[in-house]
Amino acid sequence: MTVLTTPFLVRNAAPTAAPGVPADHFKEVLARLAGGLAIVTCWQEGGPRGILVSSITGLSIDPPRFLFCIRREASAHDALVATQLCGVSILSAEDDAEALTFIDPGLKALRFTSPRWRIAASHPPLLESGLSTATCLVDQVIDAGAHSIVVVTAQSAGVRHGEPLLSYNRDLRRLQPGPGEGGT
């Protein structure tokens, strides 16, 4: 892992003693932010580990980087922030059942059991039905209070055609066809 330096001023505002918006209300605000979903994976003690994230975003093209956030209380947090290599699978609309295994703790035993997972000890698990996959080096983990911000650089990547799976208002969604795209 390397520490990056920047040629510009980085300001870290100290958190205020009392947040201006109550936590429950802010959760409602964030629930209204529609976004794509990805499963981020790694190996820990010989077994696959992973987490569903809606906080993934492209950070840069050169170098090819993503960033995503992981809640510290998440079961895969420690494994993902300790690993050097992780997999990123951006989900397609057909991956809703797989996403549910990472949402519902009662379905945890079903994670990584689908034949759509590419499981090999030489690289992190990748969901082959995803819209895109990448094997990434973990560059930086940033402490952000209740979460960790993870910056990764793609070492290899693949894409396939399809529609995305989205998160909106605590539910899994698909895009609706726009005018001229098969809609009525």
Side-chain angles (χ1 to χ4, degrees):
M1 223 180 295
T2 60
V3 175
L4 305 175
T5 59
T6 60
F8 51 86
L9 176 64
V10 175
R11 245 187 329 185
N12 293 318
T16 58
V21 178
D24 287 346
H25 182 68
F26 196 62
K27 284 182 185 179
E28 291 301 319
V29 170
L30 293 176
R32 298 328 190 264
L33 178 62
L37 294 168
I39 297 175
V40 181
T41 61
C42 68
W43 290 103
Q44 183 184 41
E45 299 171 1
R49 299 296 305 267
I51 187 169
L52 180 72
V53 297
S54 61
S55 61
I56 191 162
T57 189
L59 180 60
S60 66
I61 301 296
D62 187 15
R65 285 193 172 132
F66 293 107
L67 73 75
F68 52 88
C69 303
I70 307 171
R71 188 174 46 86
R72 286 188 182 280
E73 294 177 2
S75 63
H77 174 273
D78 293 349
L80 285 165
V81 300
T83 193
Q84 293 181 356
L85 199 61
C86 69
V88 173
S89 299
I90 297 176
L91 302 186
S92 73
E94 64 191 57
D95 294 325
D96 55 346
E98 198 63 42
L100 288 174
T101 70
F102 286 85
I103 293 170
D104 184 346
L107 299 176
K108 187 175 182 176
L110 298 177
R111 294 176 188 174
F112 303 106
T113 61
S114 166
R116 296 193 272 174
W117 281 101
R118 184 174 7 139
I119 305 285
S122 60
H123 65 284
L126 294 171
L127 188 63
E128 292 183 320
S129 57
L131 290 180
S132 57
T133 57
T135 298
C136 303
L137 289 174
V138 176
D139 290 326
Q140 196 172 21
V141 177
I142 302 163
D143 179 9
H147 288 73
S148 293
I149 301 168
V150 183
V151 178
V152 299
T153 299
Q155 299 298 296
S156 63
V159 297
R160 65 186 271 299
H161 294 288
E163 294 294 324
L165 185 63
L166 304 174
S167 170
Y168 177 74
N169 202 18
R170 298 178 185 88
D171 197 8
L172 300 177
R173 305 283 178 106
R174 292 175 176 78
L175 290 178
Q176 297 296 317
E181 294 180 342
T184 54

